Amino acid sequence: MDFFPVFMRLKNDNCLVVGGGKVASRKVVLLAKAGARVLVVAPALCEELASMAAGGRIDHEARIFEDSDIDGKALVIAATDDQAVNSRVSQLARDRHVPVNVVDQPELCSFIMPSTIDRSPVQIAVSTGGSSPVLARLLRARLESYIPSAYGRLAKLAESFRDRVKRRFSTTDQRRQFWEGVMQGEVAELLFAGRDELARTVLEKAIEEADDNPRPIGEVYLVGAGPGDPDLLTFRALRLMQMADVVVYDRLVAPPILDFARRDAEQIYVGKERDNHALSQENINQLLVRLAKEGKRVVRLKGGDPFIFGRGGEEIETLMDNGVTFQVVPGITAASGCATYSGIPLTHRDYAQSVVFVTGHLQDGSVDLNWKALAHPGQTIVFYMGLHGVGILSSELINHGLAASTPVALVQQGTTQNQRVIISTLESLEQTVNREQVKPPTIIIVGDVVELHEKLHWFEPAPGADTRPFGGKAHV
Ligand code: SAH
């Protein structure tokens, strides 16, 4: 982060704008909106500024800038086309620790101004740290279109009831829950529909009738977080993550995904690395029950899809036995994500008519798979957790009839900015894994569809992108 985002109170503070053109005028209007007392120093004024000055809304001194203009100012903006004046203003202001902005010259600024969406008192500010004002404006336009103007009125309504709600509910948790109900429920809907009076009445009633000591009802959301790329989260996953009080996650949840959780939500890491389980499955199940019974809304985040090699079934069984309510949200499973991001269609009219997802996790080094059914021409096999048994997997498939030359793809950390795709064949698979030092999480795709990778691969990790490895957060 190159800039620290803040909103400044400038009501009745003296501010200086150097320059009297259109650009200066836009800044003056904003400053005036924030209640600042604005002095414009410029030999001449554009029409809008002239009319503001004539109406007494700003002060104007018709001359060039003097050093002493900065004295006693809370904030300074330079918007002249004279480079020397702009630099001088910037230098003097910074020497005196007065915040200064020089329009379109980030190197001369101690603060920059964001693109804003004004739903006063709600203000949304977008900044690209000065790197692309156009992008900031595009983002702003996008946000504009889906933040109803009524949000300003909703915030005002909340403000006028703030003290009453504070008196009514003694803990911050109770208050937060109450307000979440208001902001997402009938009151907000009424307000959006323009029925402000009724919204007020309903809100008053809700405060009166609220249970003095509501027992918060805990819930568990078993959420598939997908294979790594945060863009692959579902809308529902995102919504629940932003609502949850606690996020329980394991090693396969990519760090950029955790960034979407509510800022103040508790994050609990529960393992599991091969042979190094931070918490046993039984303990995880019990933890979820305990948190829900404490009234917490818990997101149990799982890599990929919770119902595909995710032990999601076991977790909800325990919840059900303990009377805890829950929801399950599917996610994009690793097979699907990794195949797509490596340009390998899992089925293809010419190469494969079926696909099977298999666990390659070998109990005690022995394998209990129906190799005969797997080693089928025209079938793609995707092995999850197969890395430690590649030797056995490949020899069994060859022994059961697949050609030794059958192509195999290893996709490591698929869909993330660390994705590696390594192509091999059944007979050289073990060697490849050792030579390339392939690490989990890796999925293994076996079948003729792998040939398509060469032609269809499209995903390139972006330079400078987020490459934090899996399982990188603080552990419990
Ligand atoms: N529920 C998960 C699978 C959990 S089993 C899902 O639906 O995807 C764990 C295995 O999934 C890993 O050993 C690896 O084989 C695979 N896997 C998960 N995420 C992966 C990723 N980003 N890249 C490659 N393989 C991944």
Side-chain angles (χ1 to χ4, degrees):
M1 203 200 271
D2 290 330
F3 289 89
F4 180 65
V6 287
F7 289 92
M8 267 177 101
R9 186 188 297 283
L10 288 176
K11 198 152 268 162
N12 296 326
D13 280 350
N14 290 318
C15 296
L16 170 69
V17 175
V18 185
K22 283 221 168 73
V23 179
S25 141
R26 282 205 295 274
K27 309 295 175 194
V28 170
V29 168
L30 277 178
L31 286 170
K33 258 191 178 172
R37 292 195 183 133
V38 187
L39 167 65
V40 177
V41 173
L45 293 184
C46 68
E47 217 172 288
E48 187 171 13
L49 284 179
S51 94
M52 284 180 88
R57 288 162 56 208
I58 55 169
D59 291 328
H60 173 223
E61 298 201 2
R63 55 171 174 77
I64 56 164
F65 169 75
E66 287 166 14
D67 294 1
S68 58
D69 289 334
I70 288 183
D71 296 343
K73 299 297 186 299
L75 182 139
V76 174
I77 295 176
T80 77
D81 43 23
D82 185 328
Q83 178 65 35
V85 172
N86 286 348
S87 301
R88 178 96 191 124
V89 174
S90 166
Q91 190 58 53
L92 284 168
R94 280 187 293 176
D95 286 349
R96 297 173 200 192
H97 304 293
V98 177
V100 60
N101 177 278
V102 179
V103 176
D104 284 340
Q105 285 186 268
E107 68 286 1
L108 295 181
C109 295
S110 68
F111 73 92
I112 53 173
M113 294 175 68
S115 266
T116 58
I117 299 149
D118 188 3
R119 301 277 188 269
S120 283
V122 177
Q123 298 255 31
I124 299 156
V126 178
S127 162
T128 57
S131 57
S132 170
V134 172
L135 181 61
R137 276 205 298 280
L138 289 175
L139 280 171
R140 191 198 61 174
R142 213 183 262 192
L143 292 169
E144 271 296 350
S145 62
Y146 82 65
I147 298 172
S149 59
Y151 268 96
R153 290 178 6 248
L154 185 58
K156 280 195 185 119
L157 181 72
E159 193 177 25
S160 64
F161 278 87
R162 207 174 143 181
D163 289 337
R164 265 174 75 180
V165 170
K166 212 167 181 172
R167 285 196 300 274
R168 186 81 174 102
F169 303 102
S170 48
T171 71
T172 38
D173 270 355
Q174 285 171 345
R175 288 200 286 272
R176 182 170 51 75
Q177 272 167 21
F178 177 80
W179 281 123
E180 277 174 5
V182 170
M183 304 291 170
Q184 295 172 45
E186 192 187 356
V187 174
E189 290 305 327
L190 285 168
L191 211 88
F192 295 161
R195 307 184 66 188
D196 294 30
E197 260 323 298
L198 189 55
R200 273 194 100 77
T201 316
V202 172
L203 178 53
E204 267 166 14
K205 209 162 141 225
I207 296 173
E208 264 165 41
E209 289 176 0
D211 190 342
D212 266 344
N213 216 346
R215 233 193 97 54
I217 303 167
E219 248 191 311
V220 175
Y221 316 120
L222 187 59
V223 173
D229 182 349
D231 273 9
L232 298 180
L233 280 174
T234 58
F235 286 126
R236 185 180 294 180
L238 191 62
R239 193 157 43 75
L240 294 176
M241 279 176 77
Q242 291 181 344
M243 229 165 72
D245 307 300
V246 187
V247 179
V248 177
Y249 68 101
D250 52 43
R251 191 176 156 74
L252 278 177
V253 175
I257 287 177
L258 284 172
D259 293 346
F260 284 106
R262 222 180 66 213
R263 286 276 172 86
D264 54 341
E266 186 185 352
Q267 297 193 354
I268 303 179
Y269 176 81
V270 291
K272 322 178 207 168
E273 218 166 322
R274 204 184 144 82
D275 305 329
N276 178 18
H277 290 202
L279 273 189
S280 71
Q281 187 63 50
E282 183 48 30
N283 285 339
I284 296 173
N285 300 351
Q286 292 308 330
L287 173 73
L288 296 178
V289 171
R290 180 169 61 74
L291 290 167
K293 294 217 155 152
E294 283 169 9
K296 306 261 172 57
R297 285 168 306 178
V298 186
V299 158
R300 167 68 172 120
L301 262 191
K302 301 237 154 215
D305 182 279
F307 280 4
I308 296 182
F309 306 123
R311 305 188 77 168
E314 295 164 49
E315 291 181 15
I316 58 173
E317 222 176 300
T318 316
L319 297 174
M320 212 161 221
D321 292 347
N322 285 274
V324 173
T325 47
F326 62 87
Q327 293 183 35
V328 187
V329 183
I332 292 183
T333 189
S336 179
C338 297
T340 304
Y341 276 53
S342 49
I344 302 175
L346 290 175
T347 64
H348 187 287
R349 273 202 302 186
D350 302 332
Y351 298 89
Q353 289 69 45
S354 64
V355 52
V356 280
F357 297 171
V358 193
T359 168
H361 187 65
L362 314 173
Q363 303 286 357
D364 316 323
S366 65
V367 201
D368 197 13
L369 288 173
N370 184 348
W371 295 108
K372 201 154 170 260
L374 290 179
H376 235 276
Q379 174 161 275
T380 308
I381 316 167
V382 184
F383 286 101
Y384 288 70
M385 300 171 278
L387 212 47
H388 292 269
V390 279
I392 300 177
L393 305 184
S394 45
S395 58
E396 289 285 3
L397 288 174
I398 293 170
N399 289 342
H400 285 82
L402 283 192
S405 60
T406 306
V408 180
L410 294 149
V411 186
Q412 178 178 320
Q413 292 197 32
T415 80
T416 74
Q417 297 298 333
N418 298 317
Q419 171 171 299
R420 282 174 82 200
V421 182
I422 300 155
I423 305 295
S424 182
T425 58
L426 274 183
E427 65 187 336
S428 41
L429 185 59
E430 192 169 19
Q431 250 182 326
T432 309
V433 166
N434 293 333
R435 189 187 61 235
E436 298 284 339
Q437 301 192 0
V438 182
K439 303 252 158 33
T442 290
I443 212 149
I444 305 167
I445 306 174
V446 180
D448 294 337
V449 284
V450 169
E451 283 172 26
L452 292 163
H453 162 78
E454 200 183 336
K455 190 165 171 202
L456 301 184
H457 74 97
W458 57 271
F459 174 67
E460 304 271 348
D466 190 340
T467 52
R468 280 173 287 168
F470 282 75
K473 280 252 175 173
H475 296 184
V476 166

